[in-house]
Amino acid sequence: MWIGVPAEIKDGEYRVALTPSGAEALRAAGHKVTVQKDAGDHAGFPNSEYRKAGAKLVTAAGAWSADLVLKVKEPMPSEFRYFRANLSLFTYLHLAPNPTLADTLIRKRVTAIGYETVQDEKGRLPLLEPMSEIAGRIAALMGAYYQANPQGGRGVLFGGMPGVLPAHVVVLGGGTVGENAARVAAGMGSRVTILERRAERMRYLDEIMGSNVSTLMADPDSVRVAVLSADILIGAVHVPGARTPMLVSRALVKKMKSRSVIVDVAIDQGGSVETSRPTSHSHPTFVKEGVLHYCVPNMPGAFARTSTLALTNVTLSYVLQMARHGIPTVFQESKDIARGVQCFQGQLVSEPVARALKREFKALDSRL
């Protein structure tokens, strides 16, 4: 199979979808690999390393001409011109808040497989987990950074001082993002409250977290009380493929402490705070209702070397399966990959995505 890797063009996206060692593994398996010139530069992978791995360096159009295109983030509108019926795309799609991209993929009959919806038989999301871990850790760091007065925050130090309370960090959601955000925040000495709905998950978090971390059932009253006491609020809720539930209203944001900080990690699926809107690494924040918002949808892109290595570590085995079996045959060979398919033969085949977009849904099995 011919695998192509374009450079990422989303604002502030420095990752690349495949490392040179990943390219070498695909070449060793007998596949053709083309990588857009300079695609790996920001992640510390120069053109020479891809050449050494056996990949051919090409233009953007050359990379997009492949049978299977690997990306990190969703295609930008300027890339829609490369869509065609015999193209398979493997990337983070996040279609729930992006009807324009979804409709274009459907109209052009692109086979689109989302990293974020590839799911194993135990319900794990193996391609989302490493980026969620990184995003959670970054969220805590950004919360601490923007709490500083020069950045527009309240001036509350994460760890406090003897005789002075540390910052109160409230985390909405106790999944992978929430766990990692809480771990970093607690490690820096802050008081942390995690709001979660699953009792077994709260028991797990109570066991692994320190004494400065508390868990609460995420009922409306507990959310309201915790949000109002937060110096830093981290939105870490995720529903696979679906739009993120809106847990914090504009009215509640208006009652938060002046110059407190919201880091809405869930923004790539629509966000969990009503006042949130996507920002970028070049313009990361805005103030709404007196509260500083940080809502960058590609947070791991700022740490491209680590993120690219972590991503290729988990995606490569799936790419090798796709290349070996071909598409759509691989959907019958790998249920994990089949669960990740969102668009196929001009139809939405992911029920959560279809529900979020209010579009017609056709089961993948019925299209094979």
Side-chain angles (χ1 to χ4, degrees):
M1 181 181 279
W2 177 9
I3 296 99
V5 183
E8 299 296 319
I9 63 171
K10 189 180 180 76
D11 186 0
E13 183 52 67
Y14 300 106
R15 291 171 287 185
V16 62
L18 188 71
T19 62
S21 62
E24 185 176 10
L26 287 164
R27 289 288 295 124
H31 306 294
K32 177 181 177 181
V33 180
T34 54
V35 178
Q36 185 176 345
K37 185 175 179 288
D38 302 329
D41 276 3
H42 291 299
F45 300 112
N47 294 330
S48 59
E49 292 190 17
Y50 286 104
R51 286 197 194 96
K52 186 177 178 181
K56 182 180 179 181
L57 296 174
V58 295
T59 63
W64 276 99
S65 297
D67 304 315
L68 173 63
V69 167
L70 308 181
K71 279 182 51 55
V72 179
K73 291 301 291 180
E74 72 281 357
M76 298 290 100
S78 63
E79 296 173 301
F80 292 0
R81 68 183 185 273
Y82 299 122
F83 291 178
R84 62 190 191 279
N86 61 343
L87 171 66
S88 295
L89 175 65
F90 194 30
T91 187
Y92 289 114
L93 287 167
H94 298 298
L95 294 182
N98 196 344
T100 300
L101 174 58
D103 291 343
T104 307
L105 289 167
I106 292 166
R107 187 174 70 254
K108 296 287 189 175
R109 301 180 69 84
V110 175
T111 297
I113 308 153
Y115 294 154
E116 74 275 12
T117 46
V118 170
Q119 190 172 78
D120 67 18
E121 60 185 12
K122 295 180 180 178
R124 290 177 57 253
L125 303 168
L127 307 190
L128 187 63
E129 281 184 357
M131 295 304 103
S132 294
E133 290 170 352
I134 293 170
R137 296 173 192 187
I138 295 171
L141 296 175
M142 291 300 101
Y145 177 73
Y146 284 105
Q147 254 298 316
N149 290 118
Q151 310 309 323
R154 300 186 68 233
V156 180
L157 186 63
F158 244 41
M161 283 293 290
V164 181
L165 284 174
H168 183 200
V169 178
V170 173
V171 182
L172 298 175
T176 304
V177 172
E179 176 185 338
N180 281 271
R183 192 189 302 277
V184 171
M188 289 193 283
S190 66
R191 297 173 293 142
V192 181
T193 300
I194 305 174
L195 292 124
E196 171 60 52
R197 291 185 182 276
R198 298 164 294 173
E200 72 281 2
R201 185 66 181 176
M202 284 190 282
R203 278 192 284 271
Y204 166 77
L205 292 169
D206 278 342
E207 289 174 1
I208 66 166
M209 294 292 179
S211 59
N212 55 337
V213 179
S214 302
T215 58
L216 283 175
M217 178 60 69
D219 58 71
D221 189 57
S222 294
V223 169
R224 181 184 62 81
V225 172
V227 167
L228 292 179
S229 69
D231 297 302
I232 298 164
L233 174 65
I234 296 175
V237 178
H238 177 75
V239 181
R243 192 176 181 91
T244 306
M246 200 67 68
L247 300 181
V248 180
S249 67
R250 178 182 295 271
L252 188 54
V253 171
K254 196 171 184 177
K255 294 178 181 177
M256 290 177 68
K257 298 173 183 177
S258 178
R259 293 181 292 127
S260 53
V261 177
I262 292 173
V263 180
D264 200 344
V265 184
I267 195 65
D268 56 9
Q269 290 291 118
S272 53
V273 180
E274 188 177 3
T275 48
S276 293
R277 58 173 171 79
T279 59
S280 65
H281 287 297
S282 58
H283 297 91
T285 63
F286 62 91
V287 176
K288 187 68 70 174
E289 304 296 354
V291 175
L292 186 70
H293 292 61
Y294 176 95
C295 306
V296 177
N298 58 326
M299 292 166 61
F303 296 85
R305 179 80 180 186
T306 296
S307 298
T308 294
L309 288 164
L311 184 61
T312 297
N313 284 347
V314 293
T315 58
L316 183 58
S317 64
Y318 292 101
V319 176
L320 284 165
Q321 286 184 69
M322 291 180 195
R324 181 170 66 252
H325 295 292
I327 292 171
T329 303
V330 72
F331 302 153
Q332 297 171 322
E333 299 293 329
S334 170
K335 295 301 182 185
D336 293 17
I337 295 173
R339 295 184 190 103
V341 183
Q342 298 185 19
C343 302
F344 182 63
Q345 294 183 345
Q347 295 282 347
L348 274 177
V349 294
S350 170
E351 189 170 5
V353 173
R355 192 182 309 119
L357 294 172
K358 298 179 179 167
R359 301 291 196 272
E360 184 182 357
F361 161 72
K362 295 285 187 181
L364 179 62
D365 288 347
S366 71
R367 309 295 298 176
L368 295 175

